Amino acid sequence: MRMLDHWHPVLKSGELRKAPAEVKLAGESIAVFRTASGQLGAVANACPHRRLKLSVGTVVGERVQCRYHGWQFDACGNGESPGTPKLTTCTTAYDVREEHGLIWLKSRGSVATFPDITVPGWFHISTLRHVVPAPLELTVDNFNEIEHSATVHDTFGYDLERLHEVNVRFEATDDSVRVVNVGPTKRIHPFFALLINIRRNDLFHDDWTTRFSPVYSVFDHWWTSPDLKRESMVRWRLHVFFVPMDDRTTQVVSVTYANSRYPGPNGALRLMKWKMREQIDREIQADIDMLHHMADYDRSLEGLKLSRFDKVMGLTRERIARIYRGEVDPVAQATGSTGRQLLPPM
């Protein structure tokens, strides 16, 4: 499969109104529009006539109209000229759908499983979009390792002085990578700790699974007492989609849910939603800030001095190349290896 053959979240539903919108996906510029009847369309963002961006045009009925000469295109990419009615043309169209408060795109006609991010019984906290100034692989590397949480993050992470105590376990199948981390929590804001019942010396649990069609990770975060008999009052689940805009820029789309053991509707999460949303945004911004300051954006792992936390990088890189980018590993092809592994704790 090619990169565009997978379903990607590109916009929040509320961001697409009467006017078309431009999105960048895997180096392609795409015009997304909502027709008068509420249907969605997505076409290449260049009018075949004189290459003006269709995203600066208008929606007329069930078509997007080019601002330059008035040519119109439907959701299937079929176009016509008002000035020369017998002259018809077509442009590239994309499959588009609206689910979970997001607008998703993929290449037209490709066969791809749509990611299910429903979490029955959990409360929706936020849906956020962030633009990261780094290639896909480096962005995934950053989000999918926990060692930096000791110095970069405010809440979700481990104590720097006790980072050596964190237990790391890796589980890899042909199409997924799971990482389970358990260790002493870092000190967090006293009010937040009191609110969700986190005490000094508690254990922070960071359990995530990454899949590769499209590339996204599902993170579960919670705290327990060292003997595992007491658990924090709230758990978080974050679905983080890594959407390459081009070779140098990645969009991160996060959908966060929480589950609370407090009494009342939604476990009183509605009252805390704004603060939790703010915290998730701050943590993602902290990751982005680190990627702003990389010495270079070379995707190669060669020459890096990797730690015990970094085994996940090689596992995810292989699956991104094979499953997401559709690149064939000649060694794996020759040996018949599927990449299925079960790795012991480190």
Side-chain angles (χ1 to χ4, degrees):
M1 297 179 74
R2 299 173 301 118
M3 294 166 66
L4 283 166
D5 291 342
H6 310 273
W7 283 109
H8 297 85
V10 293
L11 289 170
K12 293 194 289 184
S13 294
E15 293 174 328
L16 185 63
R17 302 183 183 275
K18 293 182 178 180
E22 178 184 18
V23 301
K24 295 288 186 65
L25 179 58
E28 301 291 334
S29 178
I30 301 170
V32 184
F33 59 97
R34 193 187 299 276
T35 71
S37 65
Q39 300 300 309
L40 292 175
V43 295
N45 194 23
C47 179
H49 177 215
R50 296 277 294 278
R51 294 195 295 274
L52 191 78
K53 287 185 175 182
L54 292 173
S55 60
V56 301
T58 56
V59 176
V60 179
E62 299 303 297
R63 295 169 174 256
V64 60
Q65 178 176 282
C66 181
R67 182 178 174 184
Y68 205 176
H69 301 97
W71 288 43
Q72 295 184 359
F73 299 86
D74 64 18
C76 295
N78 300 313
E80 60 184 27
S81 164
T84 311
K86 293 183 179 181
L87 182 61
T88 60
T89 186
C90 61
T91 189
T92 302
Y94 298 84
D95 288 337
V96 55
R97 64 187 289 179
E98 192 168 14
E99 299 284 349
H100 311 302
L102 291 163
I103 293 171
W104 306 70
L105 295 179
K106 71 172 181 64
S107 61
R108 198 165 184 83
S110 64
V111 179
T113 302
F114 189 82
D116 182 11
I117 61 173
T118 56
V119 188
W122 289 52
F123 184 73
H124 176 256
I125 298 296
S126 64
T127 298
L128 304 172
R129 291 200 306 124
H130 296 83
V131 175
V132 181
L136 172 67
E137 282 82 356
L138 268 65
T139 303
V140 175
D141 290 347
N142 176 275
F143 279 77
N144 283 7
E145 60 94 352
I146 200 65
E147 187 177 11
H148 75 277
S149 69
T151 51
V152 173
H153 292 292
D154 293 332
T155 302
F156 302 106
Y158 297 102
D159 181 75
L160 181 61
E161 300 302 320
R162 301 179 64 187
L163 197 59
H164 60 280
E165 298 178 36
V166 176
N167 179 272
V168 187
R169 179 162 56 93
F170 303 90
E171 299 176 8
T173 70
D174 186 50
D175 61 357
S176 70
V177 175
R178 182 185 179 197
V179 183
V180 181
N181 304 283
V182 183
T185 183
K186 69 187 312 173
R187 293 188 181 184
I188 62 177
H189 193 282
F191 174 76
F192 188 79
L194 178 65
L195 183 66
I196 61 176
N197 193 24
I198 302 173
R199 303 175 190 175
R200 190 172 182 179
N201 297 320
D202 274 1
L203 300 177
F204 176 60
H205 297 254
D206 176 55
D207 184 340
W208 81 78
T209 298
T210 303
R211 300 190 183 277
F212 302 90
S213 179
V215 183
Y216 71 102
S217 299
V218 181
F219 297 85
D220 283 304
H221 294 325
W222 72 98
W223 290 260
T224 67
S225 58
D227 60 8
L228 306 181
K229 293 182 179 180
R230 173 179 49 81
E231 183 176 317
S232 55
M233 296 299 290
V234 178
R235 282 194 180 211
W236 279 262
R237 178 167 294 174
L238 289 76
H239 299 79
V240 179
F241 290 84
F242 304 98
V243 183
M245 300 175 70
D246 53 39
D247 289 340
R248 305 176 67 178
T249 311
T250 304
Q251 181 177 196
V252 171
V253 178
S254 62
V255 183
T256 303
Y257 297 89
N259 184 273
S260 169
R261 296 191 290 115
Y262 280 109
N266 300 310
L269 287 172
R270 192 177 301 276
L271 298 175
M272 298 184 282
K273 179 177 179 177
W274 69 273
K275 188 63 178 178
M276 291 182 177
R277 182 188 186 280
E278 180 183 83
Q279 189 65 34
I280 295 297
D281 181 65
R282 182 183 295 113
E283 298 282 59
I284 293 175
Q285 291 288 357
D287 279 314
I288 294 173
D289 184 59
M290 290 300 101
L291 288 166
H292 268 290
H293 300 291
M294 299 293 290
D296 63 63
Y297 293 92
D298 185 354
R299 295 186 298 174
S300 171
L301 300 182
E302 186 176 354
L304 299 181
K305 187 69 173 180
L306 302 179
S307 77
R308 68 189 182 99
F309 294 94
D310 297 325
K311 186 180 289 289
V312 64
M313 294 169 65
L315 298 173
T316 57
R317 291 296 186 88
E318 185 276 332
R319 287 154 183 80
I320 289 174
R322 173 170 51 85
I323 300 172
Y324 182 68
R325 293 186 180 273
E327 299 171 356
V328 177
D329 181 345
V331 175
Q333 187 179 48
T335 61
S337 172
T338 64
R340 187 180 303 274
Q341 303 173 60
L342 181 60
L343 301 166
M346 294 183 65

